[in-house]
Amino acid sequence: MTGLTLIPLALSTAFILWLSLGDPKRRRAEKLASGGHSPALRRALALGAMLPGIAIAACGDAAAFLIWLGGCAVIGWIVALALSQLARQPGD
């Protein structure tokens, strides 16, 4: 069961990271040149991050779905924290 949860979680993690790297608001705050992802791409990435959870829910495995859901929330916080730490300048 753990393997069946970790694989979808890894896939969702890739989409969450990709989505957060192109976030227009974060990029503006960091004064980066590019404007970030287009709205259509952001929607597609969000859907891609949710598809593994939808597949787990369709299989009817409630425990795996809850593990995946909690894992995505924790990974989202970790990605946000990591990107905010990378954006800080020394001496801030």
Side-chain angles (χ1 to χ4, degrees):
M1 180 173 111
T2 304
L4 295 176
T5 305
L6 292 180
I7 293 169
L9 189 56
L11 183 61
S12 292
T13 300
F15 280 107
I16 290 169
L17 184 60
W18 190 9
L19 184 61
S20 62
L21 287 174
D23 182 37
K25 185 175 181 179
R26 184 187 64 81
R27 296 183 66 80
R28 276 193 311 271
E30 294 177 13
K31 296 175 180 51
L32 296 174
S34 175
H37 298 317
S38 68
L41 181 57
R42 288 194 314 264
R43 286 186 192 105
L45 291 173
L47 180 64
M50 289 187 287
L51 281 177
I54 294 170
I56 292 171
C59 290
D61 192 352
F65 178 75
L66 290 174
I67 291 170
W68 172 84
L69 189 62
C72 283
V74 169
I75 287 171
W77 279 105
I78 290 171
V79 167
L81 179 63
L83 289 177
S84 71
Q85 294 298 319
L86 289 175
R88 285 191 173 188
Q89 299 293 330
D92 279 351

